[in-house]
Amino acid sequence: MKPSLPQGTRDFAAETLHKRRFIIDTIKETFELYGFEPLETPSIENLETLMGKYGDEGDKLIFKILNNGLDNPSKRENVIKEFEHILSGKNNKNITERALRYDLTIPFARFMAMNQGKLTLPFKRYQIQPVWRADRPQKGRYREFMQCDADVAGTYSLISDVELAEIYADVFGKLKIDVEIKINSRKILYALAEVCDSIDNITAITIAIDKLDKIGMEKVKEELKETGLSEKSISIIENYISIEGSNSEKLDKIETLVGASETGKKGIEELKFVLDFLKNDDSKRINKVILDFTLARGLNYYTGTIYEVKARNVQMGSIGGGGRYDDLTGLFGVPNIPGVGISFGLDRIYDVMEELKLFPEEINRATEVLFFNLGEKESKHAFYLMQKLRHQNISCELFYENVKLDKQFKYATKKNISFAVIIGSKEMEEKNCLVKNLGTGEQKTIPETELVDFFK
RNA sequence: GUGGUUGUAGCUCAGUUGGUUAGAGCAUCAGAUUGUGAUUCUGAGGGUCGUGGGUUCGAGCCCCAUCAUCCACCCCA
């Protein structure tokens, strides 16, 4: 049989993994700097936990797992009957009751609901794990990919919203990715629908608005028309979309449009609070938070601020997203635990950094020193010296075979090893070793007693 | 889920209107060179042309199906 991978999945070799780890470490460090604690949940959840949380499209993209034991003859008739439900598009516990995790937010909400009372609120957790979506793969889209989430649960304080925006700015600053951190509020979108007298169509409106920069104003209007909005509503939405200027100018303009709505007023207040707080952080950074009323986001559990991050100078969908949800655990029978969270898309961040060549050179240097093998006695001696270095936390390797130096050099070059230590019979006799810098080609002989200090 | 693209050696790719034994560069291995590489020279190995059918005297090339890739739509990280 020919080995192959399922569609949309990948193996990661050392070079890729070093780079991925570089990103993950940066994110993890930043999360911990802000007081978040780690959490891991299972790869599989009960299908019931996930269904209905991501919208109709989302439900279709959940990987469902076939139950075991369906071939049991005694269940045969029942299984065939239940399978009819599947064929008509309904899920059925008797056929599939488990599914692969689709994101990290819903499992987190499930965890909160299951552990309420045990956790001190507000609870700040971060989670870095793969998720799966049965999407067709394309640029920046995989069927298995890594999400890095940070969520604050149990507080309405908008300071937590501010902090998450700061985390975005910090992480992408550290990674040297030039990004736009877009912010909006679901409340404002809701108010817009209210003003248009089309609350039932809020999803269609937001989806259409969200496409603005992709399809342009005319197409957006067409789409709105098709969903049955009145001319008047469409012109309100056109005004809404056309709002431009600085963040504070935009806030002034939105006030006249949706300020009459209670929800709209609240949304404006909240955005003002967050943006004002961010303005007080005068640290010089390339990444700024930009108010964008066309930002919508599909996930329907968001209720307040919403975020999305896009990299500049590169063609790639969003590399991060998040927002506030006032009652996520309510879905699991535990009301009144609000939360706010953000997610980093590791795989897309990787693709962006690769395309913009943002990974540091030295990232693939795992082994520092290679000890050459020049014979039985020599290699034994070299091994003894090497262990001394290893115990001082200097990563080393001894070439396993006594082959031509040429080969040993090539191995070192391939693995991007910085130094070679060559110990032959002459060096052994004189209790010396020859250290060669493989980058510069410089080499010198030093007493073996000084070897550890040389690398420390 | 819908539409398009590509699939030939480990990698990047040639391969004429269908015609004998399918090529190149890089990489690998061996030797020139038994203590100095990333830059020399010589030679060697490596392919059921994605897979399965079909058309044909004859298919890497044409047709159908299927799998995978990349891309777009839907949606999203």
Side-chain angles (χ1 to χ4, degrees), chain A residues 25-41:
Chain A
D25 287 349
T26 305
I27 293 171
K28 198 194 288 181
E29 268 166 30
T30 311
F31 284 165
E32 288 180 356
L33 203 58
Y34 280 76
F36 289 81
E37 288 184 274
L39 173 74
E40 290 192 9
T41 65

Side-chain angles (χ1 to χ4, degrees), chain A residues 207-248:
Chain A
I207 286 174
I209 290 176
D210 197 37
K211 288 185 202 162
L212 178 71
D213 51 348
K214 208 168 188 177
I215 62 176
M217 178 72 85
E218 287 313 305
K219 285 265 170 76
V220 170
K221 281 162 78 177
E222 257 172 56
E223 224 175 288
L224 290 170
K225 205 168 180 178
E226 273 168 40
T227 51
L229 262 72
S230 67
E231 286 296 330
K232 195 181 150 210
S233 300
I234 292 176
S235 96
I236 293 174
I237 292 172
E238 187 172 2
N239 283 336
Y240 174 94
I241 291 175
S242 308
I243 291 176
E244 275 176 5
S246 68
N247 287 349
S248 55

Side-chain angles (χ1 to χ4, degrees), chain A residues 26-65:
Chain A
T26 305
I27 293 171
K28 198 194 288 181
E29 268 166 30
T30 311
F31 284 165
E32 288 180 356
L33 203 58
Y34 280 76
F36 289 81
E37 288 184 274
L39 173 74
E40 290 192 9
T41 65
S43 303
I44 57 176
E45 292 278 350
N46 291 323
L47 183 57
E48 210 182 21
T49 304
L50 307 182
M51 288 302 291
K53 313 299 193 297
Y54 310 107
D56 292 345
E57 286 300 318
D59 283 356
K60 284 184 205 158
L61 299 180
I62 294 170
F63 271 111
K64 296 163 192 94
I65 299 169

Side-chain angles (χ1 to χ4, degrees), chain A residues 371 382-392:
Chain A
F371 284 78
F383 187 83
Y384 165 75
L385 277 170
M386 174 175 73
Q387 286 305 87
K388 281 192 175 174
L389 289 196
R390 281 177 170 167
H391 294 148
Q392 294 299 318

